[in-house]
């Protein structure tokens, strides 16, 4: 377990989209249901990854006026261009329903049993770029046993902005060194580490539906490298 043994955290913060939930499979099924009958030969995996890439592009843009845009709006706004570019026919109601699928993401098979094991030993909370309402809906949909929900929306800034991590530490009443950030995205936990948080990297080889597209390399850079939430629970002594 490396250095995590010597300094056991008091709380664990979890990324949600990709780390705790399988957005690729969920959204692919939703897209196929919405438009697959008209476009049976479409590459829906590529569709999902293009949509997710558009989300990252939009949420990474600097907003000098300090304005906030909800993640729900980002997904809905970017959907129109992706459908048009790919020649996919879908009416407005269908587009709205498809965009809402991002608030009904299914957990990975290891997520709930792993969280239940860790819940008895640590405070568990989310730290997601998804909207608060989406995280609540995802948690209810998947019966995810968090103690608290934190999201970028609460600060008006997306991860990896330092304000998001600071908000979670402040409301948990803990120093960063007492909190472990858990994510399958290295940029996320690198940003947390720079602020003094402990870190756990979760390898999700199928996050994008193709093992060649995910960064799953264990490099020793983080306090813990884990294959899934059950492995993380093992390494934390749960």
């Amino acid at each position: 377990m490396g250095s995590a043994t010597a300094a056991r955290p008091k709380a664990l913060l979890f990324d949600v989209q990709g780390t705790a939930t399988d957005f690729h499979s969920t959204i692919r099924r939703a897209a196929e249901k919405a438009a697959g009958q008209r476009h049976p030969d479409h590459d829906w995996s590529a569709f999902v990854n293009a949509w997710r890439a558009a989300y990252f592009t939009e949420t990474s843009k600097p907003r000098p006026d300090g304005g906030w845009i909800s993640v729900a709006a980002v997904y809905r706004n970017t959907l129109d261009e992706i459908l048009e570019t790919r020649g996919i026919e879908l009416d407005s109601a269908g587009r709205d329903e498809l965009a809402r699928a991002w608030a009904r993401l299914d957990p990975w098979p290891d997520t709930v049993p792993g969280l239940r094991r860790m819940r008895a030993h640590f405070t568990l909370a989310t730290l997601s770029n998804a909207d608060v309402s989406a995280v609540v809906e995802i948690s209810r949909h998947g019966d995810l046993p968090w103690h608290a929900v934190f999201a970028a929306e609460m600060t008006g800034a997306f991860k990896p902005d330092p304000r998001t991590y600071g908000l979670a530490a402040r409301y948990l009443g803990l120093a960063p060194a007492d909190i472990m950030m858990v994510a399958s995205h290295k940029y996320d936990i690198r940003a947390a580490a720079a602020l003094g948080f402990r870190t756990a990297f979760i390898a999700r080889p199928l996050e994008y539906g193709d093992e060649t597209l995910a960064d799953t390399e264990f490099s020793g850079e983080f306090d813990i490298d884990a294959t899934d939430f059950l492995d993380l629970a093992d390494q934390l002594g749960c």
Side-chain angles (χ1 to χ4, degrees), residues 69-89:
I69 182 170
S70 71
V71 169
V74 169
Y75 280 130
R76 180 61 184 87
N77 294 343
T78 55
L79 177 60
D80 290 336
E81 183 177 353
I82 292 169
L83 291 173
E84 182 177 352
T85 299
R86 293 176 169 270
I88 299 171
E89 299 176 33

Side-chain angles (χ1 to χ4, degrees), residues 57-123:
T57 298
E58 288 300 311
T59 56
S60 298
K61 287 180 179 179
R63 301 188 183 279
D65 60 355
W68 173 254
I69 182 170
S70 71
V71 169
V74 169
Y75 280 130
R76 180 61 184 87
N77 294 343
T78 55
L79 177 60
D80 290 336
E81 183 177 353
I82 292 169
L83 291 173
E84 182 177 352
T85 299
R86 293 176 169 270
I88 299 171
E89 299 176 33
L90 191 62
D91 63 21
S92 180
R95 295 178 183 209
D96 291 344
E97 181 64 19
L98 179 54
R100 282 193 289 268
W102 287 97
R104 296 189 289 268
L105 302 180
D106 294 330
W108 295 103
D110 57 273
T111 295
V112 173
L115 290 176
R116 285 176 177 163
R117 283 175 53 187
M118 291 182 278
R119 197 178 194 276
H121 301 268
F122 305 97
T123 297

Side-chain angles (χ1 to χ4, degrees), residues 1-9 11-12 176-183 189-190 192-202 218-226 231-232 235-236:
M1 186 169 72
S3 58
T5 302
R8 186 179 175 92
L12 307 178
D178 290 324
I179 304 170
M180 176 170 282
M181 182 70 211
V182 182
I189 42 182
R190 283 175 179 146
L195 298 170
F197 288 75
R198 304 188 66 74
T199 53
F201 173 64
I202 307 296
F218 289 172
S219 62
E221 176 183 355
F222 308 111
D223 294 296
I224 291 179
D225 287 319
D231 184 24
L232 177 61
Q235 295 193 53
L236 289 169

Side-chain angles (χ1 to χ4, degrees), residues 157-169:
F158 292 110
K159 294 183 297 181
D161 189 295
R163 286 174 288 178
T164 60
Y165 308 95
L167 171 127

